[in-house]
Amino acid sequence: MFITLAVVTVFMSAVLLASAGAKSLRTRHITEQMSALGVPQGMMAYLIGAQIAGAAGAIAGLWWGPLGVAAAIGLTLYFAGAAAFHLRVGDRKGASPAAVLTMTSVALIVLRAATL
């Protein structure tokens, strides 16, 4: 069970860090997408910080279980919010990855709680 947890954690952390990196570059695609979703540019630093903190918390949670559970709960809320923002503007294509990552975050909660 722990190996599955570690694999899912590393996958999720890689996705989070890649997304945070893309957001920090403020590429035209990311800027246009955030604008279409109604996310103010001033919020970008908070979103980047939340993703980096989620990745760090998930990795550290492999050694300290309660931190892993807390990080996974935070990631679940983050991605559920992302899915809601996409659906709010009718962007079903963008909502799908956010929904998958929401479910992956829930899987992290279950896996980490099962190995405590």
Side-chain angles (χ1 to χ4, degrees):
M1 181 88 66
F2 184 80
I3 292 172
T4 304
L5 169 66
V7 168
V8 174
T9 298
V10 169
F11 165 77
M12 180 63 99
S13 295
V15 168
L16 287 164
L17 294 175
S19 178
K23 282 181 180 65
S24 67
L25 293 175
R26 297 191 195 270
T27 61
R28 187 177 59 129
H29 168 72
I30 295 293
T31 304
E32 288 173 355
Q33 183 182 40
M34 292 296 166
S35 178
L37 294 174
V39 176
Q41 287 298 312
M43 290 297 296
M44 291 294 282
Y46 295 108
L47 296 176
I48 293 165
Q51 288 182 320
I52 292 170
I59 293 292
L62 291 172
W63 287 274
W64 189 43
L67 179 60
V69 172
I73 290 170
L75 291 172
T76 300
L77 296 172
Y78 178 91
F79 285 115
F85 262 71
H86 283 278
L87 290 173
R88 182 177 56 92
V89 297
D91 180 18
R92 292 185 189 275
K93 183 179 177 184
S96 295
V100 168
L101 290 169
T102 301
M103 297 314 298
T104 305
S105 300
V106 170
L108 278 177
I109 295 169
V110 172
L111 288 168
R112 183 66 258 193
T115 58
L116 285 178

